[in-house]
């Protein structure tokens, strides 16, 4: 049973470019969560999605960031016009239904903005 | 004020010691409490979760929640070098900063 998959594992973008991070949840999981982790800091919640629905986006920056979880395919976190401060590890987690206490994390995507 | 506060450590103990990791949270509406273990450059791994005050035991690990004082604890008995990692407490979808633990042989 494959775990949560994220790709790419490493992504380098120049300032002003777009970054697209993908997350495939565990089989049977319909809820996806995105987090950002800066060096030596904990995970910061960004957004919580169900298929075709954003449940909680209270942690998402108001500009340049968006997320979706379509009916078919992976969840995507999109960062437009990246800046150096966006450099971080981005983790995706999934859970069965709405069991926010049972999240299983992927290996993360490390974004570097040059 | 952060919603979940956790002492970042680092914490270093000898093999076999009992480890106590602690967090506090500020939002009395939080319902779920979790502990994750994260090895360097890996994703967090769920260790335990609970949604009530009291203790929950799983092998060498015991999670404790006191909702009246908004206090969360994780105890590790007979600690092993393989337990060396960063431990993250979480409540609902809010995480502490993590405590880095080293267990020395």
């Amino acid at each position: 049973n494959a775990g949560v998959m994220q790709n790419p594992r490493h992504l380098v973008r120049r300032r002003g470019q777009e970054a697209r991070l993908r997350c495939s949840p565990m089989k049977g999981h319909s809820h996806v969560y995105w987090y950002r982790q800066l060096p030596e800091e904990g995970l910061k919640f960004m957004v919580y999605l169900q298929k075709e629905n954003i449940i909680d986006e209270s942690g998402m920056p108001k500009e340049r960031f968006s997320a979706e979880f379509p009916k078919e395919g992976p969840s995507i976190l999109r960062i437009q016009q990246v800046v150096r401060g966006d450099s971080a590890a981005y983790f995706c987690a999934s859970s069965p239904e709405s069991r926010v206490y049972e999240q299983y994390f992927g290996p993360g995507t490390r974004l570097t903005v040059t | 004020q952060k919603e979940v506060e956790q002492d970042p450590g680092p914490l270093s103990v000898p093999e076999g010691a009992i480890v106590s990791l602690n967090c506090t949270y500020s939002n009395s509406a939080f319902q779920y409490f979790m502990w994750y273990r994260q090895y360097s450059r890996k994703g967090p791994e769920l260790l335990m979760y609970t949604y009530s005050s009291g203790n929950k035991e799983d092998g060498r690990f015991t999670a404790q929640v006191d909702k009246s004082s908004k206090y969360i604890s994780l105890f590790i008995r007979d600690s092993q070098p393989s337990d060396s990692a960063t431990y993250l407490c979480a409540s609902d979808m809010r995480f502490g900063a993590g405590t880095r633990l080293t267990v020395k042989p």
Side-chain angles (χ1 to χ4, degrees), chain B residues 11-15 30 34 37 48 52 54 59 65-66 68 71-72 104:
Chain B
L11 181 62
S12 181
V13 301
E15 183 175 355
F30 285 161
M34 294 78 78
R37 177 173 61 196
M48 300 179 71
S52 59
V65 175
D66 182 344
S68 63
Y71 204 78
I72 313 165
K104 295 184 176 179

Side-chain angles (χ1 to χ4, degrees), chain A residues 46-59:
Chain A
M46 299 181 75
V47 63
Y48 168 22
L49 308 112
Q50 191 183 10
K51 289 256 185 205
E52 298 185 286
N53 189 24
I54 296 174
I55 298 176
D56 182 350
E57 58 181 346
S58 58

